[in-house]
Amino acid sequence: MIYHGIRFSLKPGLSQEDIDAGLERMRAASRKIPAIKSWVVGRDFGGEYEYGAVSQLEDLDAYEELMNHPEHNEVDRAGLPLIDRFASFDITDDPDPELGAKIAEIHRRRFDAVPDIAGLVAGLGDYSGSAAPGKHGE
């Protein structure tokens, strides 16, 4: 099992209406992506971020399906321009010692295949996660 998580803080000046619409767009996408077994999208407490999401995925194939699903790409295109700080992380009980490298490779392939999203991620004020593009690179 892989739990894919994101944490983020928004750019100043966004209306609560825009924030609520963006979070609902994330929820709607999560309902449409078959690879996601369960998910939560909402406020983030106890850290440096305002909001977050966690998606439960069965395995690495499901992870790759999520990363490349058109709904995920559309959420990124709509949401990343609103974000200032972003962190992506993964938690797993899979014993494969190479799983972290395999996850990073999925991200690298996605960023190579979808350069507009790689550009949006590279343009964030702060980003940490697998295969971080641009100024955030590993």
Side-chain angles (χ1 to χ4, degrees), residues 1-5 30 33-39 54-69 72 89-94 99 103 106-107:
M1 197 66 58
I2 302 170
Y3 291 85
H4 173 65
S30 295
I33 300 173
I36 298 175
K37 297 296 181 196
S38 69
W39 54 270
V54 177
S55 300
Q56 180 188 18
L57 306 156
E58 189 70 31
D59 54 25
L60 199 58
D61 289 337
Y63 192 99
E64 187 156 22
E65 180 183 332
L66 165 63
M67 285 298 127
N68 294 294
H69 195 283
H72 184 243
F89 63 93
D90 300 291
I91 300 170
T92 186
D93 59 358
D94 187 318
L99 191 67
I103 287 171
I106 289 170
H107 285 274

Side-chain angles (χ1 to χ4, degrees), residues 100 104-105 108 129-138:
E105 182 57 30
R108 269 191 284 285
S130 291
K135 67 184 178 186
H136 311 296
E138 301 174 318

